[in-house]
């Protein structure tokens, strides 16, 4: 280099200046590349990567330029040892940068592959969601008058004759509600009806998560009384008997009718045509159809329940009493009773219905 400098000093000095300027720019570009990884920003990474590659190309061009104009190897004089050491250090650093750039390029490629895969998964999820929404509309699960809504209405409708018969038989409804779920503070006395809906719901949905809960029997257009009349010992007939005996306690029947004749008739395999039992059959049919619909999806619909004392969530729950406001302490209302479970339908959610405590009806 000394010989080259003596022969043509100005170009060589200019070359050395360019080398150091190029190394400085490379350092800056490398720092930008590092910064773009935290947080990970694909656009910034690509920009910084192009800048690093550009600086490396410039260095390579300077290297080739020098070799073309100085083909013979030259020795470094002692007085230039400091400059030679600096150049060697920069060359070593350059190799390090080249290794790191290759590493980052590999990481970028891996990240791009991951992003592409995620984009495909998102697109597949969107298509699946669109297909599911279409199925929901066709099957009635996305509309207000859905099978889920029908089941809830059936629970509510059956609770009415049950409560009326308890009143007529002289039952203490306050004590009965408390025995179903103790220590629930109701905003209004009339709200104790939800305790009985809660009782019906729990009994009717026991075992719902099992596929054997129901069997594919055509009931949609068939009157439930006709169904059990045609085949009292069918799967649906046995389902009705077991659920009736679970929902209506023997003490209830004894007080309602003065005897257990109807209960014994049901236990013996019969299905009485009394108004009370016919009302129950409508409830049984709605829960049966809901289960059959749930298992017609792939994967099957999942039912979920919430426990007493859980914090109220507007995402997963719907209050059966509207216009509720927190009590004076402004604490978040909690679940007092679940009167209808919720359902996961693919990526969609049907909220469960709950009666809240720690809240009052807005005046």
């Amino acid at each position: 280099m000394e010989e080259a400098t003596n022969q043509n000093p100005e170009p060589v000095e200019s070359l050395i200046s360019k080398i150091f300027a190029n190394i400085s720019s490379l350092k800056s570009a490398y720092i930008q590349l590092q910064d773009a990884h935290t947080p990970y920003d694909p656009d910034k990474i690509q920009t910084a990567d192009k800048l690093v590659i550009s600086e490396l190309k410039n260095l390579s061009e300077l290297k080739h330029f020098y070799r073309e104009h100085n083909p013979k190897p030259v020795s470094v004089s002692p007085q230039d040892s400091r400059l030679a050491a600096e150049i060697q250090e920069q060359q070593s650093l350059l190799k390090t940068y080249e290794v790191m750039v290759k590493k980052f390029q590999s990481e970028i490629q891996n990240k791009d592959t991951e992003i592409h895969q995620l984009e495909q998964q998102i697109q597949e999820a969107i298509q699946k969601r669109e297909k599911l929404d279409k199925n929901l509309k066709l099957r009635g699960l996305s509309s207000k008058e859905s099978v889920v809504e029908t089941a809830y209405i059936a629970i509510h409708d059956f609770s009415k004759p049950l409560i009326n018969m308890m009143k007529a038989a002289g039952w203490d409804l306050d004590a009965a509600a408390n025995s179903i779920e103790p220590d629930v503070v109701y905003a209004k006395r009339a709200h104790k009806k939800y305790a009985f809906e809660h009782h019906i719901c729990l009994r009717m949905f026991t075992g719902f998560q099992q596929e054997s809960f129901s069997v594919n029997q055509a009931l949609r257009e068939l009157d439930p009384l006709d169904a059990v009349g045609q085949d009292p010992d069918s799967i649906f007939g046995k389902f009705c008997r077991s659920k009736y005996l679970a929902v209506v306690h023997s003490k209830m029947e004894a007080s309602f009718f003065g005897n257990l004749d109807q209960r014994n008739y049901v236990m013996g395999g019969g299905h009485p045509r009394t108004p009370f039992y016919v009302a129950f059959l409508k409830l049984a049919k709605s829960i049966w159809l809901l289960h059959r619909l749930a298992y017609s999806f792939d994967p099957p619909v999942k039912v979920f329940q919430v426990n007493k004392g859980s914090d109220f969530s507007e995402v997963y729950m719907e209050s059966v009493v509207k216009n509720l406001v927190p009590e004076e302490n402004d604490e978040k209302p909690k679940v007092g009773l679940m009167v209808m479970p919720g359902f996961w339908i693919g990526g969609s959610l049907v909220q469960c219905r709950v009666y809240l405590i720690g809240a009052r009806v807005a005046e």
Side-chain angles (χ1 to χ4, degrees), residues 293-311:
L293 179 59
Y295 271 84
S296 69
F297 284 89
D298 184 19
V301 173
K302 292 184 178 179
V303 62
F304 71 91
Q305 303 183 20
V306 292
N307 297 322
K308 178 183 177 182
S310 301
D311 289 335

Side-chain angles (χ1 to χ4, degrees), residues 219-222 224 236 281-289:
L219 285 174
R220 185 174 294 274
E221 304 300 332
L222 192 62
F236 177 66
L281 288 179
K282 293 179 181 179
L283 166 63
K285 176 185 175 181
S286 67
I287 303 299
W288 176 277
L289 290 177

Side-chain angles (χ1 to χ4, degrees), residues 131-162:
K131 183 178 180 181
L132 178 62
D133 288 342
K134 183 178 180 180
N135 288 336
L136 292 179
K137 290 178 180 179
L138 292 174
R139 300 180 185 190
L141 272 175
S142 61
S143 63
K144 189 173 181 181
E145 294 300 325
S146 66
V147 178
V148 176
E149 182 74 14
T150 301
Y152 175 68
I153 292 173
I155 290 174
H156 176 73
D157 289 347
F158 182 70
S159 69
K160 291 180 179 179
L162 184 68

Side-chain angles (χ1 to χ4, degrees), residues 62-352:
L62 291 173
K63 177 180 175 182
H64 288 300
F65 176 82
Y66 177 78
R67 285 182 175 176
E68 287 174 2
H69 292 80
N70 300 276
K72 296 181 179 180
V74 295
S75 60
V76 180
S77 63
Q79 59 266 34
D80 293 326
S81 60
R82 183 181 62 82
L83 179 60
E86 179 71 17
I87 292 174
Q88 185 176 4
E89 180 183 350
Q90 298 295 345
Q91 287 177 335
S92 177
L93 184 61
L94 177 60
K95 291 180 180 179
T96 302
Y97 286 154
E98 289 175 340
V99 172
M100 294 302 296
V101 167
K102 289 180 179 178
K103 179 182 177 182
F104 280 127
Q105 287 176 330
S106 177
E107 291 181 0
I108 291 170
Q109 186 176 2
N110 291 337
K111 290 291 184 181
D112 288 341
T113 301
E114 291 179 12
I115 291 172
H116 180 67
Q117 291 175 346
L118 289 173
E119 287 176 345
Q120 284 184 324
Q121 292 176 7
I122 291 172
Q123 188 61 34
E124 290 174 359
I126 292 173
Q127 292 175 354
K128 187 176 181 180
R129 177 64 181 270
E130 291 175 350
K131 183 178 180 181
L132 178 62
D133 288 342
K134 183 178 180 180
N135 288 336
L136 292 179
K137 290 178 180 179
L138 292 174
R139 300 180 185 190
L141 272 175
S142 61
S143 63
K144 189 173 181 181
E145 294 300 325
S146 66
V147 178
V148 176
E149 182 74 14
T150 301
Y152 175 68
I153 292 173
I155 290 174
H156 176 73
D157 289 347
F158 182 70
S159 69
K160 291 180 179 179
L162 184 68
I163 293 172
N164 289 336
M165 294 187 76
M166 291 176 73
K167 287 180 180 179
W171 279 61
D172 184 338
L173 295 183
D174 294 337
N178 189 63
S179 67
I180 293 172
E181 192 62 69
D183 303 323
V184 175
V185 179
Y186 297 91
K188 292 183 178 181
R189 189 170 184 271
H191 291 174
K192 292 188 177 183
K193 66 181 181 180
Y194 294 115
F196 301 102
E197 293 184 14
H198 168 72
H199 165 76
I200 296 169
C201 170
L202 291 183
R203 298 298 185 275
M204 293 302 298
F205 279 95
T206 298
F208 188 90
Q209 202 62 30
Q210 301 172 6
E211 187 171 6
S212 59
F213 181 85
S214 66
V215 175
N216 193 8
Q217 181 174 338
L219 285 174
R220 185 174 294 274
E221 304 300 332
L222 192 62
D223 183 275
L225 185 60
D226 292 337
V228 295
Q230 292 175 10
D231 189 356
D233 292 322
S234 65
I235 300 297
F236 177 66
K238 292 178 180 178
F239 170 81
C240 293
R241 280 201 295 269
S242 65
K243 289 301 181 182
Y244 176 82
L245 296 174
V247 171
V248 184
H249 196 274
S250 59
K251 290 183 179 180
M252 287 184 177
E253 284 203 76
S255 64
F256 294 168
F257 309 117
N259 55 59
L260 294 177
D261 292 349
Q262 178 165 284
R263 188 176 193 83
N264 292 332
Y265 185 69
V266 173
M267 292 177 66
H271 297 280
R273 293 180 172 269
T274 62
F276 185 69
Y277 191 78
V278 170
F280 173 78
L281 288 179
K282 293 179 181 179
L283 166 63
K285 176 185 175 181
S286 67
I287 303 299
W288 176 277
L289 290 177
L290 176 59
H291 185 267
R292 291 314 314 154
L293 179 59
Y295 271 84
S296 69
F297 284 89
D298 184 19
V301 173
K302 292 184 178 179
V303 62
F304 71 91
Q305 303 183 20
V306 292
N307 297 322
K308 178 183 177 182
S310 301
D311 289 335
F312 175 66
S313 167
E314 292 183 353
V315 176
Y316 299 101
M317 309 172 199
E318 177 185 354
S319 173
V320 292
V321 179
K322 308 303 179 184
N323 302 322
L324 288 179
V325 294
E327 295 286 2
E328 294 180 358
N329 55 16
D330 288 333
E331 290 186 1
K332 195 171 184 179
K334 296 184 180 298
V335 175
L337 300 165
M338 183 193 72
V339 296
M340 184 69 182
F343 301 90
W344 287 107
I345 309 172
S348 300
L349 171 71
V350 176
Q351 297 166 303
C352 61

